Amino acid sequence: HWTRALRAYRQMQDDEVAPNVVTYNALLSAFEHGADLGMCRRLFRSMSVRKDTMTYAAFINCAGRAGRWQVALDTFGGMQRDSLDPDTQLYNTLITAISRTSPSRWQIAIELMREMQRNNVPRDTKTCIAVMRACEQAAKYEAAIDVFNTFPTEEVLHSADGNVGELLVHAQSELGRWEDTLKVLHKILPRSPPPHLYSLVLEVLSRERFLWDKCLELFNRMKGKSIPVELNAYNSVMQVHSGKGEWSRALELFDAMLQGGTQPDSRTYDILIAAYTRRREDQALAAVKKNGTVIEN
């Protein structure tokens, strides 16, 4: 906690131990997590040693957490006075700070990414995620996809961080580009995409009746590859079976879900209730057509 860090710092002062840049950075980092911009600013301005990129990163992150994106941007610009060149981590920190506090500033995030390219600062997966997230928070899904397309596709999709694929699928689904969504999944297939990405794609496919067969096909492929099935995936496929009037399959899937240890949520029960209701309605309608009477359960 930042209060413990502050006590330790004051004890150093009492003991006449001169803090170095590592000490200041640790303190700023502690204040950063508490989003105490006032304390961060006082410490930042009072530093008696030369600041480094970690110093600026901590202060910029604190400003972002405190909702002061302009302070973060101004501080970033002041690095030149300390003859420091921002690196990848610092750019990523600034982009995240801006997108976290002001979604309407998504264009600034894109401009910072372009500045990285102009200054030959390497961009990484975190850069891609930060800028795409800034665009999506402002509902600029086309821009998010354009950002993705400026990065090496295979590299960012196959990174250990699956957020890129998730952001891309979400943007494509918002724009109704289900074919592109399937292409993303096929690109990741050789390296076993994470289960949550399958869940996202299944949810996209379950929304439109003409995509239901694609949804079931993808689900069967998951089972064939022994990929763990998450709750959202079960819900999406049960929704499809219910919509197709395949009540018994929806119920069988529910039983399989329980046997596998997956706990249902409110959406699961909504789907089951709708399935039961529609089954009774269909049975009643069939009885009326056949006998002119309604069957009782």
Side-chain angles (χ1 to χ4, degrees):
H1 195 273
W2 67 267
T3 55
R4 290 195 294 270
L6 185 59
R7 283 198 299 269
Y9 173 64
R10 286 173 176 166
Q11 185 62 53
M12 288 180 64
Q13 291 178 313
D14 292 341
D15 295 340
E16 298 183 352
V17 177
N20 56 23
V21 69
V22 175
T23 308
Y24 281 112
N25 291 351
L27 274 168
L28 286 168
S29 219
F31 296 143
E32 160 203 333
H33 291 293
D36 190 332
L37 182 59
M39 189 73 75
C40 243
R41 180 182 278 137
R42 286 193 292 274
L43 185 65
F44 186 79
R45 289 175 175 173
S46 68
M47 286 181 64
S48 56
V49 296
R50 186 174 184 273
K51 302 176 181 70
D52 61 15
T53 55
M54 292 298 294
T55 313
Y56 277 94
F59 184 79
I60 287 170
N61 207 15
C62 185
R65 289 176 183 272
R68 302 290 298 277
W69 68 270
Q70 188 62 60
V71 172
L73 193 61
D74 291 344
T75 302
F76 181 82
M79 288 186 67
Q80 293 180 340
R81 291 193 296 270
D82 284 330
S83 302
L84 291 173
D85 294 323
D87 57 13
T88 302
Q89 180 183 349
L90 196 56
Y91 270 106
N92 291 347
T93 299
L94 179 61
I95 293 169
T96 300
I98 291 173
S99 63
R100 180 191 292 132
T101 59
S102 182
S104 63
R105 306 295 173 179
W106 60 277
Q107 291 171 305
I108 296 178
I110 291 179
E111 180 54 35
L112 286 168
M113 181 187 71
R114 291 171 178 164
E115 183 179 300
M116 292 175 72
Q117 293 176 287
R118 291 194 298 269
N119 295 339
N120 296 318
V121 178
R123 304 177 308 158
D124 59 14
T125 303
K126 290 182 179 179
T127 313
C128 183
I129 291 171
V131 182
M132 286 185 71
R133 187 165 286 145
C135 294
E136 293 206 15
Q137 286 175 343
K140 301 297 181 181
Y141 303 112
E142 191 75 57
I145 294 172
D146 289 343
V147 167
F148 170 81
N149 289 331
T150 67
F151 286 80
T153 303
E154 299 296 324
E155 180 181 329
V156 293
L157 282 180
H158 291 146
S159 68
D161 193 331
N163 285 331
V164 176
E166 184 174 335
L167 288 166
L168 182 59
V169 166
H170 180 253
Q172 290 169 337
S173 66
E174 289 293 332
L175 295 172
R177 299 181 183 175
W178 63 271
E179 290 182 334
D180 290 340
T181 299
L182 286 177
K183 288 178 184 177
V184 171
L185 200 58
H186 290 321
K187 285 180 180 178
I188 311 177
L189 277 174
R191 302 196 189 182
S192 299
H196 77 272
L197 195 54
Y198 269 103
S199 297
L200 281 171
V201 177
L202 288 169
E203 185 176 354
V204 171
L205 298 177
S206 70
R207 294 174 188 167
E208 301 290 345
R209 182 179 292 272
F210 73 96
L211 297 176
W212 283 353
D213 288 339
K214 292 278 186 184
C215 181
L216 297 179
E217 178 185 331
L218 180 60
F219 183 70
N220 289 330
R221 189 183 307 164
M222 278 185 74
K223 293 193 296 184
K225 291 179 175 290
S226 299
I227 296 171
V229 182
E230 295 182 335
L231 175 61
N232 286 340
Y234 277 118
N235 284 343
S236 295
V237 178
M238 281 193 290
Q239 182 79 58
V240 169
H241 283 310
S242 176
K244 289 168 69 73
E246 298 170 348
W247 325 120
S248 59
R249 291 189 179 182
L251 295 175
E252 287 171 4
L253 197 57
F254 177 69
D255 289 338
M257 182 183 80
L258 294 179
Q259 290 172 9
T262 302
Q263 295 300 312
D265 63 3
S266 59
R267 184 188 172 202
T268 311
Y269 289 115
D270 287 343
I271 293 169
L272 290 175
I273 291 170
Y276 276 120
T277 302
R278 291 190 62 181
R279 182 180 68 174
R280 286 177 61 85
E281 290 173 351
D282 287 353
Q283 287 175 335
L285 182 60
V288 168
K289 288 181 177 178
K290 182 177 180 180
N291 305 315
T293 59
V294 178
I295 62 171
E296 296 291 341
N297 277 352

